[in-house]
Amino acid sequence: MKFDPQLMARLQAATQQLLKDGPAASSAALRDAMTGTAPADARRPAPTSRSFKDLNAAPDYARPTPATDSDTGAASAPDLAGFLAGLGVRLPEGFTMPAGAAEAFGKAGAFGLQPGFKLPEGFSLPEGLDLPEGLDLPEGLSIPNAPAMRKRTPPPPIPAGATFESASFANHGGSRGYKLYVPSTYKDQGQPVPLVVMLHGCTQDPDDFAAGTRMNQLAEEDGFLVLYPAQSQQANQSRCWNWFAPGDQQHGRGEPAIIAGMTQEIMRRYAVDPRRVGIAGLSAGGAMAVIVGTLYPALFRAVGVHSGLPYGAAQDLPAALQAMKSGRKGQHGRRPTSPPLIVFHGDKDRTVHAINGEQVLADALAPHGAGAPVTTQAKAPGGRRYTRAVHKGRDDRVVAEHWTLHGGGHAWAGGSASGSYTDPKGPDASRELIRFLMESTADVNVDA
């Protein structure tokens, strides 16, 4: 069927009326929207038994629900799904509606967003969600077979002698929980060990991220500590790091100050080699890793960014959603990243466009005057093709690597099905991240 924007606009206004006043009050609006005989959004008097009468009982999704303290006037998620089905919008089997989506639909209408509408925090479009032309659903909808919905396998058990314990940290920037992995070989090494800080993505937590990246297994093999800061739902409903908030993009404030302080606390409690402290993250965690690495280059000696965004990409949520789709606009908020940096990004990422990875790379190269990169193309053992570009600065040191994952989406490359948002096809982003950290900090001199 050919898309008719005028009919869609009339239906949108009619469904707004339906959400507001119920099916009886909007029957005339729907009728006029379909026939085009009257403006669908015109105010109408409340229907009476003489003007119109429903002969059939209202379906479950159209019946009023008791108001609660948190009721915003929008339909609940189950009612909303039924309402969409009643309008002929077919949802995939097993479809689930994320928290806040009902309110988004209630404000925006079932077909597209009104000008000025702001989506709930943390919404992102998962891989595999292909929308028909002309149909614009709020982002964040979850469907089966997407990286977040895939059936997970149990992670391997913690080896004897290793620990993976929870704790919390607080300073002037705020407080957050975290988990710390200490390998079984830590006490036997007798010398300072590297520390890797891993920032999870939206809807994830330290356990999920550790399982998906398999970073704990690598820590056990290579003998380093792994710190997993945990975003709280109080700070962000979807547990996204607030990379788009101005207060969380400054040295000594907000989440960067918390993450840096948490890292320093671990360095005081354990024998950590200050030359080999790195930070990495996925998606919102990748964007925050860029911010923290940029603001604290004396602390973090290397940065890893998987499917993330550049520093200063947004100053509020609407701008964040726009940046996710088309990258940072102009030079607003740009800051050169000084620590060596490795970037992974799928060229089919529909949640965070791949141009963001290119902008992250450009910021990393800016202070070093890097020339043409050394580029290689290969195919990972798991089946994913990739292009690796190695950039060196004026002193011939490697300052950045850029891994383009051909056909890759919004998921950690080479990850395990034990966690969400992973792509087992490879290449192994976790192993390459650790390799880059060790190589780029091998001859760094710092005052411990």
Side-chain angles (χ1 to χ4, degrees):
M1 182 178 70
K2 185 177 181 181
F3 175 68
D4 184 343
Q6 294 181 348
L7 173 60
M8 194 65 72
R10 294 197 299 270
L11 283 173
Q12 180 179 349
T15 52
Q16 287 278 25
Q17 188 75 16
L18 177 58
L19 286 170
K20 179 179 179 182
D21 297 327
S26 63
S27 296
L30 285 171
R31 179 195 62 214
D32 291 346
M34 295 299 294
T35 61
T37 57
D41 58 349
R43 290 190 172 272
R44 306 176 184 276
T48 65
S49 59
R50 288 179 296 178
S51 62
F52 191 88
K53 182 178 180 181
D54 284 329
L55 299 179
N56 300 313
D60 292 339
Y61 61 80
R63 293 173 183 167
T65 56
T68 65
D69 293 339
S70 60
D71 190 5
T72 62
S76 65
D79 290 345
L80 177 57
F83 168 69
L84 290 173
L87 291 176
V89 179
R90 296 188 62 184
L91 303 178
E93 183 179 357
F95 173 87
T96 60
M97 193 70 69
E103 180 180 357
F105 269 77
K107 293 179 180 178
F111 298 98
L113 302 177
Q114 298 291 342
F117 172 72
K118 295 183 179 180
L119 291 174
E121 290 188 4
F123 275 12
S124 61
L125 186 64
E127 290 303 306
L129 183 57
D130 294 321
L131 302 180
E133 184 179 355
L135 181 61
D136 187 15
L137 299 180
E139 297 181 351
L141 305 182
S142 299
I143 60 173
N145 301 322
M149 300 296 291
R150 185 175 50 235
K151 184 177 180 181
R152 303 180 194 174
T153 58
I158 301 297
T163 60
F164 190 36
E165 298 180 349
S166 301
S168 62
F169 172 82
N171 64 4
H172 63 279
S175 63
R176 294 293 187 276
Y178 66 85
K179 294 197 75 170
L180 178 70
Y181 185 81
V182 180
S184 60
T185 58
Y186 169 71
K187 294 181 180 179
D188 299 331
Q189 292 186 1
Q191 58 184 0
V193 299
L195 170 64
V196 181
V197 180
M198 295 287 288
L199 302 180
H200 62 75
C202 295
T203 74
Q204 295 182 315
D205 58 27
D207 290 301
D208 181 6
F209 200 39
T213 60
R214 297 182 295 105
M215 194 58 73
N216 290 355
Q217 288 95 302
L218 292 178
E220 192 67 28
E221 293 176 15
D222 297 337
F224 58 88
L225 307 182
V226 192
L227 172 63
Y228 300 89
Q231 179 64 301
S232 67
Q233 280 193 301
Q234 289 72 29
N236 185 289
Q237 184 179 3
S238 297
R239 294 192 177 94
C240 305
W241 296 100
N242 292 304
W243 56 272
F244 50 83
D248 295 303
Q249 299 177 13
Q250 301 179 37
H251 186 282
R253 291 189 58 187
E255 292 172 358
I258 298 171
I259 295 168
M262 185 184 296
T263 303
Q264 292 167 328
E265 175 67 17
I266 298 302
M267 295 173 69
R268 284 191 289 268
R269 289 172 47 198
Y270 294 85
V272 172
D273 184 349
R275 300 172 303 165
R276 296 187 173 183
V277 178
I279 186 168
L282 170 67
S283 190
M288 183 55 69
V290 171
I291 293 173
V292 177
T294 302
L295 296 176
Y296 297 89
L299 177 60
F300 298 99
R301 298 293 169 170
V303 179
V305 187
H306 202 312
S307 310
L309 298 98
Y311 189 105
Q315 301 296 312
D316 54 36
L317 182 57
L321 296 170
Q322 185 62 39
M324 290 165 65
K325 293 181 179 180
S326 56
R328 179 181 58 198
K329 299 301 181 184
Q331 302 299 315
H332 177 73
R334 178 180 180 181
R335 288 194 184 185
T337 308
S338 57
L341 179 139
I342 185 169
V343 181
F344 301 89
H345 215 119
D347 61 10
K348 298 299 182 183
D349 191 332
R350 296 171 185 162
T351 302
V352 178
H353 194 279
I355 192 175
N356 286 282
E358 297 173 6
Q359 292 176 338
V360 170
L361 176 68
D363 288 352
L365 298 179
H368 302 286
V374 177
T375 302
T376 56
Q377 294 184 336
K379 185 177 182 180
R384 179 75 67 199
R385 299 194 65 83
Y386 62 88
T387 298
R388 175 194 177 200
V390 179
H391 299 261
K392 293 184 178 182
R394 298 184 186 92
D395 58 359
D396 205 39
R397 291 173 57 89
V398 173
V399 295
E401 287 190 18
H402 185 206
W403 291 65
T404 302
L405 314 172
H406 299 300
H410 197 66
W412 188 274
S416 167
S418 298
S420 64
Y421 293 99
T422 61
D423 178 13
K425 293 182 179 180
D428 192 337
S430 296
R431 197 171 293 276
E432 295 297 340
L433 170 67
I434 298 305
R435 187 258 321 154
F436 181 81
L437 169 64
M438 300 306 174
E439 290 179 355
S440 61
T441 60
D443 56 355
V444 174
N445 295 317
V446 298
D447 184 358

